[in-house]
Amino acid sequence: MEPKLCSGLFLLIVTACFILLLTSTNFSHEPSSTYCTNSSSSPLCASRNFLFNKKTRPITKNVPKPKPKNHDHVSDTPNHPLDPLTVMEINKVRSILSSHALFASPAPHSFHSIVLEEPDKNLVRQWEKGTTLPPRKASVIARVGADSHVLTVDISTSYVDLVDSPVHAPGYPIMTLEEMASATWAPFTNEDFNRTILSRGVDLTDVICFPISSGWFDNKEGNRRLIKIQCFSTQGTVNFYMRPIEGLTLLFDLDIKQILETTDTGRSIPIPGSTNTDYRFSNLPNRDKTRPLNPISIEQPRGPSFVIEDNHLVKWANWEFHLKPDPRAGLVISTVKVHDPDTEVSREVMYKGFVSELFVPYMDPSEAWYFKTYMDAGEYGFGLQAMPLEPLNDCPRNAVYMDGIFAAADGTPYVRENMICVFERYAGDIGWRHSENPVTGMPPLREVRPKVTLVVRMVSSVGNYDYIIDYEFQTDGLMRAKVGLSGILMVKGTTYKNKNQVKKDKEGNEEELYGTILSENVIGVIHDHYVTFYLDLDVDGPNNSFVKVNLKRQQTEPGESPRKSYMNVVKNTAKTEKDGQIKLSLYDPSEYHVINSGKTTRVGNPTGYKVVPRATAASLLDRDDLPQKRGAFTNNQIWVTPYNKSEQWAGGLFTYQSHGDDTLAVWSNRDRDIENKDIVVWYTLGFHHIPCQEDFPIMPTVSSSFDLKPVNFFERNPILSATPNFEHDLPVCGAGSVSA
Ligand SMILES: *[C@@H]1O[C@H](CO)[C@@H](O)[C@H](O)[C@H]1NC(C)=O
Ligand SMILES: *[C@@H]1O[C@H](CO)[C@@H](O)[C@H](O)[C@H]1NC(C)=O
Ligand SMILES: *[C@@H]1O[C@H](CO)[C@@H](O)[C@H](O)[C@H]1NC(C)=O
Ligand SMILES: *[C@@H]1O[C@H](CO)[C@@H](O)[C@H](O)[C@H]1NC(C)=O
Ligand SMILES: *[C@@H]1O[C@H](CO)[C@@H](O)[C@H](O)[C@H]1NC(C)=O
């Protein structure tokens, strides 16, 4: 390994250096420190005046950086039926399997997933703290030679159940990080590749290669597990994504670890320059010219208002839920309950919620680009790609962190530190309010409540892109799922330095560029992002129905009213899955309620939660285009299926090179009964992205969200008795004391 290559790669996500780092420092931790718990004793609060009085000093140098909470995972034991596998349990699974006949063959084997096999839903729902846990089992996906296997391992009895072994369905498991790393290094073993690079005048030590899932196009794949590899120049920049070696694509076999094919369609295209591509604070030439903001943070002198019991059970205000990291989904929220202020009872809202799959098709059909149709969860592992969060900037100072425990390809457990953060947010928003207007003659009346929320956050850096996933809980019973997109565009090299050079035909139409020129020789290619959420809502228990509350224009009878029309609601309860396939439309608006018809409020409304869409996008690809068939779970924005433990991954369990025959769309078309059943709602949040110059060299975050909002769930406003803010309660390092 060239030292220079390694130091460049060190900044990356998917590299051999990184893998070595991960597996060799499996349980090491940063030294511990806690959040600000007492304003008068906190060093930061105490240094406030120093910070504000010496404006010339660089502020960042004075701020002690919070370090992750120290936690010794080696002795972790599970406390809840849904707790992820511990270090000890993964080691046990590994040792059980090492003596199993399946792994005795000399054929190479790798573990693509070792996670908790969740106990049956009823067992989990009925389990009570203090009672024994249901049997702990691991669900394992392995490859032995050219076969995939699905197994469950009973950790206490050592019994190995070959659930599906070998797997006959098309498609392959998630790549391991080790495989991704092997692909990034493979090109350098190929003399032709070296020659091609050198012939472009590029120094081999400046080249970084990147594994790109190859989609499935029913042509060259046969029974091979393939990946495409494309390369970039790091010369003069850490932002190598902006310096593509355009058109050079290698085809790599992930099993036999061989380069099968090299295509080069971009010899005439220059590698874009490195100027202005660096985004590191330390390297920005103009940063002192911007008017700086004063330091800002939230203080919680008495500590946070939430607790995380037994490492995974979050309790805050009226909410309680189980939180765990997952290598495929990123993070999983389970057994979500909300406390009802009227009945003093904790009521079930959602059994399980997570990001089931992502679909990211690029809109350039040319040779070096057509295959870029990523499924980030099923191909790369949305959780495997979640890097440690950066305290103070990824999450505010009052955040606490949770580590992920995952298994490497050889089954060894490792710790992904600070993968999730949990914090309370007070963004200056209002929970509810009213001011009485003096024209009514009422005495002055102003009643306001601040809105404080709880945020659970994870950021997955799937190669160039960064997905920020937030679940936000409000005290009024609302849950918001929010997706933020940042990171770096996947760009295309071009001979054009300026729009005025783009060729035009006789009619004056510009040549198709498939995107926007962002900088000299750089095109940002148009693409979509779809994030499909699995939402197993259990409103007051599992027996639920999905009701489309359709808003309809009604005409008045002639002479009935000075009005010609009004709007009313027409409710349709979905009987079968096809009634639950929803395409959103502004001109045919509806609310989408998940109700429990067996439970009504005092005045007789069924209790419910509604799915509230916000800005989103729908795929325009041909339904028969192979990427769209594989991504058919994005054909509707909402789907409703009956609960089935085997149907959790919208793109199929084996997404890599899948053919689209095990997707949510296929399941839903079985048209099973969904009325008064345990149902799962699937919501897809979409983005069309036409890149613009502001996205260069790194993108300001763009976000969208959807809500799960109570609808006739509570008897009244559940935060009527919330407390207002009072000055005397607030920390001394508040905004008011700055001028002092
Ligand atoms: C951590 O990894 C090293 C090397 O991979 C291994 O020897 C060690 O046993 C691991 N630690 C634990 C606690 O499993
Ligand atoms: C905060 O710190 C002060 C001074 O160190 C101490 O007197 C006080 O008891 C602390 N308060 C809390 C709530 O810990
Ligand atoms: C290609 O170049 C790299 C970097 O200089 C070198 O390590 C490798 O051995 C070369 N590969 C071949 C097959 O010559
Ligand atoms: C759910 O509904 C089914 C069918 O309507 C009924 O048989 C069952 O008892 C219900 N279960 C609960 C927990 O209410
Ligand atoms: C549960 O899902 C699996 C996988 O899609 C399917 O084979 C099975 O038929 C489903 N069961 C029911 C009852 O729908």
Side-chain angles (χ1 to χ4, degrees), residues 129-145:
K129 195 176 164 155
T131 61
T132 52
L133 291 177
R136 297 282 291 173
K137 293 182 184 172
S139 169
V140 177
I141 296 176
R143 280 194 53 89
V144 181

mmCIF file of all heavy atoms in Angstrom, residues 129-145:
data_model
loop_
_atom_site.group_PDB
_atom_site.id
_atom_site.type_symbol
_atom_site.label_atom_id
_atom_site.label_comp_id
_atom_site.label_asym_id
_atom_site.label_seq_id
_atom_site.Cartn_x
_atom_site.Cartn_y
_atom_site.Cartn_z
ATOM 1 N N LYS A 129 -40.622 -5.920 31.774
ATOM 2 C CA LYS A 129 -39.303 -5.758 32.385
ATOM 3 C C LYS A 129 -39.220 -6.580 33.670
ATOM 4 O O LYS A 129 -40.161 -6.606 34.453
ATOM 5 C CB LYS A 129 -39.061 -4.278 32.691
ATOM 6 C CG LYS A 129 -37.610 -3.988 32.968
ATOM 7 C CD LYS A 129 -37.317 -2.519 33.182
ATOM 8 C CE LYS A 129 -35.946 -2.444 33.834
ATOM 9 N NZ LYS A 129 -35.250 -1.212 33.617
ATOM 10 N N GLY A 130 -38.098 -7.277 33.819
ATOM 11 C CA GLY A 130 -37.925 -8.088 35.025
ATOM 12 C C GLY A 130 -38.200 -9.553 34.759
ATOM 13 O O GLY A 130 -37.780 -10.413 35.524
ATOM 14 N N THR A 131 -38.933 -9.850 33.671
ATOM 15 C CA THR A 131 -39.168 -11.258 33.344
ATOM 16 C C THR A 131 -38.067 -11.722 32.389
ATOM 17 O O THR A 131 -37.338 -10.895 31.835
ATOM 18 C CB THR A 131 -40.554 -11.460 32.674
ATOM 19 O OG1 THR A 131 -40.583 -10.715 31.457
ATOM 20 C CG2 THR A 131 -41.668 -10.981 33.574
ATOM 21 N N THR A 132 -37.954 -13.038 32.193
ATOM 22 C CA THR A 132 -36.856 -13.534 31.351
ATOM 23 C C THR A 132 -37.096 -13.155 29.894
ATOM 24 O O THR A 132 -38.228 -13.020 29.449
ATOM 25 C CB THR A 132 -36.701 -15.072 31.447
ATOM 26 O OG1 THR A 132 -37.987 -15.633 31.190
ATOM 27 C CG2 THR A 132 -36.192 -15.510 32.798
ATOM 28 N N LEU A 133 -35.986 -13.008 29.189
ATOM 29 C CA LEU A 133 -36.070 -12.641 27.778
ATOM 30 C C LEU A 133 -36.461 -13.866 26.955
ATOM 31 O O LEU A 133 -36.090 -14.985 27.308
ATOM 32 C CB LEU A 133 -34.712 -12.145 27.288
ATOM 33 C CG LEU A 133 -34.209 -10.817 27.836
ATOM 34 C CD1 LEU A 133 -32.811 -10.534 27.282
ATOM 35 C CD2 LEU A 133 -35.152 -9.681 27.468
ATOM 36 N N PRO A 134 -37.188 -13.660 25.851
ATOM 37 C CA PRO A 134 -37.397 -14.774 24.923
ATOM 38 C C PRO A 134 -36.025 -15.269 24.443
ATOM 39 O O PRO A 134 -35.044 -14.503 24.499
ATOM 40 C CB PRO A 134 -38.177 -14.141 23.773
ATOM 41 C CG PRO A 134 -38.675 -12.825 24.272
ATOM 42 C CD PRO A 134 -37.768 -12.403 25.377
ATOM 43 N N PRO A 135 -35.936 -16.521 23.943
ATOM 44 C CA PRO A 135 -34.631 -17.061 23.532
ATOM 45 C C PRO A 135 -33.920 -16.094 22.582
ATOM 46 O O PRO A 135 -34.538 -15.571 21.661
ATOM 47 C CB PRO A 135 -35.002 -18.360 22.805
ATOM 48 C CG PRO A 135 -36.343 -18.728 23.325
ATOM 49 C CD PRO A 135 -37.032 -17.460 23.713
ATOM 50 N N ARG A 136 -32.639 -15.883 22.810
ATOM 51 C CA ARG A 136 -31.850 -14.984 21.960
ATOM 52 C C ARG A 136 -31.366 -15.753 20.737
ATOM 53 O O ARG A 136 -30.716 -16.788 20.856
ATOM 54 C CB ARG A 136 -30.664 -14.434 22.749
ATOM 55 C CG ARG A 136 -31.074 -13.593 23.935
ATOM 56 C CD ARG A 136 -31.506 -12.204 23.557
ATOM 57 N NE ARG A 136 -30.402 -11.395 23.071
ATOM 58 C CZ ARG A 136 -30.566 -10.168 22.551
ATOM 59 N NH1 ARG A 136 -31.776 -9.637 22.459
ATOM 60 N NH2 ARG A 136 -29.520 -9.481 22.125
ATOM 61 N N LYS A 137 -31.705 -15.222 19.571
ATOM 62 C CA LYS A 137 -31.316 -15.877 18.324
ATOM 63 C C LYS A 137 -30.668 -14.861 17.397
ATOM 64 O O LYS A 137 -31.002 -13.676 17.434
ATOM 65 C CB LYS A 137 -32.546 -16.460 17.629
ATOM 66 C CG LYS A 137 -33.167 -17.611 18.382
ATOM 67 C CD LYS A 137 -34.347 -18.180 17.630
ATOM 68 C CE LYS A 137 -35.016 -19.271 18.461
ATOM 69 N NZ LYS A 137 -36.259 -19.728 17.858
ATOM 70 N N ALA A 138 -29.779 -15.377 16.555
ATOM 71 C CA ALA A 138 -29.158 -14.511 15.556
ATOM 72 C C ALA A 138 -29.664 -14.914 14.181
ATOM 73 O O ALA A 138 -29.848 -16.096 13.905
ATOM 74 C CB ALA A 138 -27.640 -14.663 15.609
ATOM 75 N N SER A 139 -29.901 -13.916 13.356
ATOM 76 C CA SER A 139 -30.214 -14.166 11.958
ATOM 77 C C SER A 139 -28.930 -13.907 11.174
ATOM 78 O O SER A 139 -28.326 -12.847 11.302
ATOM 79 C CB SER A 139 -31.327 -13.211 11.528
ATOM 80 O OG SER A 139 -31.465 -13.264 10.138
ATOM 81 N N VAL A 140 -28.514 -14.897 10.408
ATOM 82 C CA VAL A 140 -27.210 -14.804 9.742
ATOM 83 C C VAL A 140 -27.398 -14.957 8.232
ATOM 84 O O VAL A 140 -28.132 -15.839 7.784
ATOM 85 C CB VAL A 140 -26.261 -15.919 10.259
ATOM 86 C CG1 VAL A 140 -24.926 -15.875 9.525
ATOM 87 C CG2 VAL A 140 -26.055 -15.777 11.771
ATOM 88 N N ILE A 141 -26.754 -14.076 7.487
ATOM 89 C CA ILE A 141 -26.688 -14.247 6.034
ATOM 90 C C ILE A 141 -25.221 -14.437 5.697
ATOM 91 O O ILE A 141 -24.371 -13.617 6.072
ATOM 92 C CB ILE A 141 -27.279 -13.055 5.285
ATOM 93 C CG1 ILE A 141 -28.777 -12.941 5.605
ATOM 94 C CG2 ILE A 141 -27.074 -13.212 3.778
ATOM 95 C CD1 ILE A 141 -29.462 -11.735 4.998
ATOM 96 N N ALA A 142 -24.932 -15.560 5.057
ATOM 97 C CA ALA A 142 -23.535 -15.888 4.777
ATOM 98 C C ALA A 142 -23.390 -16.285 3.322
ATOM 99 O O ALA A 142 -24.362 -16.670 2.666
ATOM 100 C CB ALA A 142 -23.084 -17.035 5.677
ATOM 101 N N ARG A 143 -22.173 -16.173 2.826
ATOM 102 C CA ARG A 143 -21.850 -16.754 1.522
ATOM 103 C C ARG A 143 -20.774 -17.796 1.722
ATOM 104 O O ARG A 143 -19.805 -17.578 2.456
ATOM 105 C CB ARG A 143 -21.395 -15.686 0.537
ATOM 106 C CG ARG A 143 -22.609 -14.980 -0.006
ATOM 107 C CD ARG A 143 -22.445 -14.123 -1.204
ATOM 108 N NE ARG A 143 -21.827 -14.662 -2.402
ATOM 109 C CZ ARG A 143 -22.465 -15.274 -3.393
ATOM 110 N NH1 ARG A 143 -23.760 -15.523 -3.310
ATOM 111 N NH2 ARG A 143 -21.800 -15.660 -4.471
ATOM 112 N N VAL A 144 -21.008 -18.948 1.104
ATOM 113 C CA VAL A 144 -19.992 -20.000 1.107
ATOM 114 C C VAL A 144 -19.760 -20.324 -0.358
ATOM 115 O O VAL A 144 -20.691 -20.732 -1.048
ATOM 116 C CB VAL A 144 -20.459 -21.255 1.874
ATOM 117 C CG1 VAL A 144 -19.358 -22.314 1.873
ATOM 118 C CG2 VAL A 144 -20.866 -20.894 3.300
ATOM 119 N N GLY A 145 -18.547 -20.089 -0.821
ATOM 120 C CA GLY A 145 -18.277 -20.239 -2.249
ATOM 121 C C GLY A 145 -19.204 -19.307 -3.014
ATOM 122 O O GLY A 145 -19.283 -18.116 -2.710
#
